[in-house]
Amino acid sequence: MAVRAVRGAVQLERDDAGHMRDRVGELLTAVLDRNGLTPDDLISVWFTATSDLHSDFPAVAARALGIVDVPLICAQELDIEGAMPRVVRVLAHVETDLPKSAVAHVYLGAAAALRKDIAQ
């Protein structure tokens, strides 16, 4: 097994705790599913949120999915003028047999525009 990093992002329609939990949960589920992973394969997960999101911590979505024994951390994304608003990004470190070239990075909805080069 190797340690790999999987990226992803989702744009929220509004700053609402329930909406954040649902959309970030959808993102995490897609990251796991598209890479053939289970929560046991997770080593750690970093979340960032743009400065316009205040309703909750993105990591709450992971806990709601039952990811309870994995270190999680949340941070604020750089506040760059003109950047896409209401975005939660994820960087998950995982154990997998996938080669780097086969890792599926997941950008949902409008967030796909952030990384057209790697979004799947």
Side-chain angles (χ1 to χ4, degrees), residues 51-64:
S51 62
D52 51 3
L53 294 174
H54 307 279
S55 61
D56 209 350
F57 296 98
V60 168
R63 299 298 185 220

Side-chain angles (χ1 to χ4, degrees), residues 84 107-116 119:
M84 185 179 287
Y107 290 78
L108 299 179
L114 296 171
R115 289 299 305 266
K116 292 178 184 175

Side-chain angles (χ1 to χ4, degrees), residues 5-68:
V6 185
R7 290 285 322 268
V10 63
Q11 184 182 40
L12 307 184
E13 286 79 35
R14 61 191 174 281
D15 184 22
D16 171 79
H19 179 61
M20 180 182 292
R21 186 177 51 254
D22 291 345
R23 294 294 285 153
V24 175
E26 179 184 358
L27 175 61
L28 291 172
T29 300
V31 164
L32 294 173
D33 290 349
R34 293 184 193 181
N35 288 287
L37 301 168
T38 69
D40 286 340
D41 299 317
L42 294 170
I43 297 169
S44 64
V45 183
W46 283 76
F47 297 93
T48 64
T50 51
S51 62
D52 51 3
L53 294 174
H54 307 279
S55 61
D56 209 350
F57 296 98
V60 168
R63 299 298 185 220
L65 290 175
I67 301 170
V68 296

Side-chain angles (χ1 to χ4, degrees), residues 11 50-52 77-87 89 114:
Q11 184 182 40
T50 51
S51 62
D52 51 3
E77 189 69 32
L78 293 173
D79 189 14
I80 304 299
E81 188 173 326
M84 185 179 287
R86 300 177 316 281
V87 174
R89 291 172 173 86
L114 296 171

